[in-house]
Amino acid sequence: MPDFRKLEGTIPVAPLNLIVMDSAKELGDSVNRYISEFRHELYKMPENDPAFHGYVKDNYKIDINLDRFNSGEAKATIKESVRGNDVYILTDVCNYSITYKMYNYVNHKSPDDHYQDLKRVIGAITGKAKRINVIMPFLYEGRQHKRNGMESLDAAQMFAELHDMGISNFITFDAHDPRISNAKPLGGFDNFLASYQFMKALLSHIDDLVVDKDHLTVISPDEGALDRAVYFANVIGADTGMFYKRRDYAHVVNGTNPIVAHEFLGSDISGRDVIIIDDMISSGSSMIDTAKQLKNMGAKRVFICTTFGLFTDGMSKFDDGYEKGYFDAVITTNLTYMNEEVTSKEYIFIADMGKFLATIIDFLNHDASMATVNMPTDKIHEIVGRYNSGCKTPTELFD
């Protein structure tokens, strides 16, 4: 687990500033609060040392304005000085709830709009901030990470463009394909997983789970998610398996080849609990079909873990799947916007990422090693060990 004491022996890169875009306000407020708590309570930093000027504060956020003209064009204005500071910009490109007016029409901001706003903020502080870091939990255009034929390569273009604008570090979560960092090999790129937070949320809500190879299987719903499923299964000591998607390559529907069937590769899951782990739920049709097949194969319970619960088609198919017993719970994070229709469902468990993200920022601000932050294997082993030894309440399980 992260050793915060290591930060006491290192000097921060520069005073820390946090710019929270409107799209990530709730998460940003949580991150800001945790950073303040860390620095008030955990560290013993030297007093009256210029290197630690402004280090301990109640608030690290700075105010910005994103004004939009009647024509739909916009500008960013930074309302506080960031000169010489280490600036972290947090944005959620999937927050569709934010609106603006253009020609008297109300428009909901798309990922493209959020990305343009991010570039406006970067443009406003370039040449003033000592270092600019972008935190984009859901990777913009991450689903268009490779080129097939005469297609655009949007994720690579975005990544290269931001680094050309002067950002030093790019932080994302559960990238659809982390190899997208090859688009700018000399730029800082960190891709974090929510494995510990998934396990923490699961053990907080399920008190009769048996976490071992004989009772639990971690499933990848497709080939692309296999690496994260194998890592998760190995860390918690469970069995693993996968589905692969048979597609109709003769047709394209909504930008992709439609799935014909899901085929399972793995050992018998009869009577076992199953965790499906993936980076995102988009419409959810594929995930529901996978869960249904697992139950038909004799799975005892099915738990779905996904970093980004987008639910682009609403919740009706998940309501129906839950009522029919295809799955037992969905664990997702608060890294992207979810409306009340999603968060109010009894089968939705939210894995809070605020503290983890605050830890990432704190370590980066010191240029400290991210090894213990990026791979929380020991922390997962610890809570699984406590759980299997009889600890069930959050107070017993977690520090």
Side-chain angles (χ1 to χ4, degrees):
M1 59 187 299
D3 186 357
F4 288 97
R5 291 172 299 179
K6 290 182 178 180
L7 301 189
E8 297 179 5
T10 59
I11 297 174
V13 172
L16 173 65
N17 283 147
L18 186 61
I19 295 179
V20 178
M21 308 294 282
D22 287 345
S23 58
K25 185 179 183 305
E26 187 174 340
L27 178 61
D29 288 342
S30 173
V31 169
N32 183 52
R33 185 176 65 254
Y34 277 118
I35 294 174
S36 181
E37 288 179 5
F38 292 163
R39 297 191 170 185
H40 273 96
E41 300 172 9
L42 292 181
Y43 312 145
K44 295 178 180 178
M45 295 302 181
E47 297 180 4
N48 303 319
D49 187 333
F52 290 88
H53 174 70
Y55 186 81
V56 179
K57 298 194 295 187
D58 294 327
N59 178 38
Y60 294 88
K61 293 194 303 178
I62 61 173
D63 290 333
I64 65 167
N65 278 347
L66 281 168
D67 300 307
R68 197 168 288 268
F69 304 107
N70 291 336
S71 61
E73 300 162 295
K75 68 174 182 179
T77 305
I78 310 300
K79 302 180 72 177
E80 301 176 41
S81 175
V82 297
R83 189 169 298 278
N85 291 355
D86 190 22
V87 181
Y88 293 79
I89 308 171
L90 175 61
T91 184
D92 174 11
V93 298
C94 287
N95 189 335
Y96 59 87
S97 69
I98 299 176
T99 61
Y100 65 93
K101 271 194 172 184
M102 183 174 72
Y103 291 97
N104 212 31
Y105 289 97
V106 175
N107 298 274
H108 287 260
K109 283 189 177 181
S110 70
D112 292 343
D113 291 314
H114 289 300
Y115 177 54
Q116 286 300 122
D117 285 342
L118 171 65
K119 291 198 295 182
R120 292 181 178 107
V121 171
I122 294 171
I125 64 176
T126 296
K128 303 172 183 66
K130 179 178 179 64
R131 192 171 70 170
I132 302 172
N133 312 271
V134 169
I135 303 172
M136 186 186 289
F138 185 94
L139 183 66
Y140 173 73
E141 292 290 2
R143 301 175 76 178
Q144 187 54 24
H145 63 282
K146 61 183 178 181
R147 178 180 285 149
N148 293 309
M150 297 180 65
E151 293 182 342
S152 57
L153 193 55
D154 298 70
Q157 182 176 329
M158 176 274 300
F159 191 47
E161 185 175 21
L162 291 186
H163 278 280
D164 288 344
M165 290 184 73
I167 75 164
S168 299
N169 294 303
F170 187 91
I171 299 101
T172 192
F173 285 80
D174 214 346
H176 205 59
D177 190 337
R179 291 173 296 181
I180 195 63
S181 63
N182 295 334
K184 195 68 175 176
L186 300 182
F189 181 88
D190 284 294
N191 178 53
F192 295 93
L193 300 178
S195 308
Y196 172 72
Q197 286 74 20
F198 284 155
M199 207 63 207
K200 184 176 179 179
L202 195 60
L203 298 184
S204 295
H205 292 90
I206 310 298
D207 61 7
D208 61 345
L209 198 65
V210 181
V211 186
D212 62 27
K213 260 190 178 308
D214 298 322
H215 298 86
L216 184 64
T217 301
V218 178
I219 297 292
S220 168
D222 55 36
E223 310 92 295
L226 184 58
D227 286 348
R228 63 178 68 90
V230 169
Y231 167 73
F232 194 59
N234 285 340
V235 171
I236 66 175
D239 196 7
T240 189
M242 68 164 284
F243 280 86
Y244 71 91
K245 297 174 180 176
R246 256 194 311 122
R247 294 182 179 272
D248 178 6
Y249 287 99
H251 300 90
V252 176
V253 178
N254 293 328
T256 188
N257 303 105
I259 298 168
V260 177
H262 291 89
E263 305 287 352
F264 181 69
L265 298 174
S267 54
D268 183 20
I269 61 167
S270 297
R272 301 168 67 95
D273 286 327
V274 174
I275 297 174
I276 309 174
I277 190 164
D278 204 2
D279 61 331
M280 75 172 77
I281 291 174
S282 184
S283 68
S285 299
S286 176
M287 188 64 77
I288 292 294
D289 184 56
T290 299
K292 179 181 177 180
Q293 288 196 51
L294 289 169
K295 277 296 181 78
N296 289 340
M297 292 162 59
K300 178 184 175 183
R301 291 178 296 188
V302 174
F303 305 105
I304 300 169
C305 291
T306 183
T307 308
F308 304 105
L310 304 182
F311 304 105
T312 57
D313 288 352
M315 301 302 294
S316 58
K317 65 184 67 176
F318 280 88
D319 290 341
D320 183 60
Y322 183 64
E323 290 174 6
K324 292 179 178 177
Y326 297 157
F327 67 91
D328 295 86
V330 176
I331 297 93
T332 188
T333 74
N334 59 342
L335 288 172
T336 194
Y337 171 77
M338 291 176 289
N339 61 24
E340 191 176 353
E341 181 192 9
V342 176
T343 57
S344 63
K345 299 297 182 182
E346 64 174 324
Y347 54 81
I348 297 285
F349 302 153
I350 306 297
D352 179 38
M353 301 296 289
K355 189 173 183 179
F356 185 31
L357 190 48
T359 304
I360 292 168
I361 293 172
D362 212 8
F363 271 68
L364 282 174
N365 182 236
H366 284 258
D367 261 350
S369 171
M370 303 296 292
T372 56
V373 180
N374 199 16
M375 299 296 284
T377 305
D378 291 340
K379 289 183 70 176
I380 298 174
H381 281 159
E382 184 179 343
I383 63 169
V384 169
R386 290 179 185 176
Y387 183 87
N388 285 340
S389 67
C391 299
K392 301 300 180 184
T393 66
T395 304
E396 295 174 313
L397 286 171
F398 314 118
D399 293 331

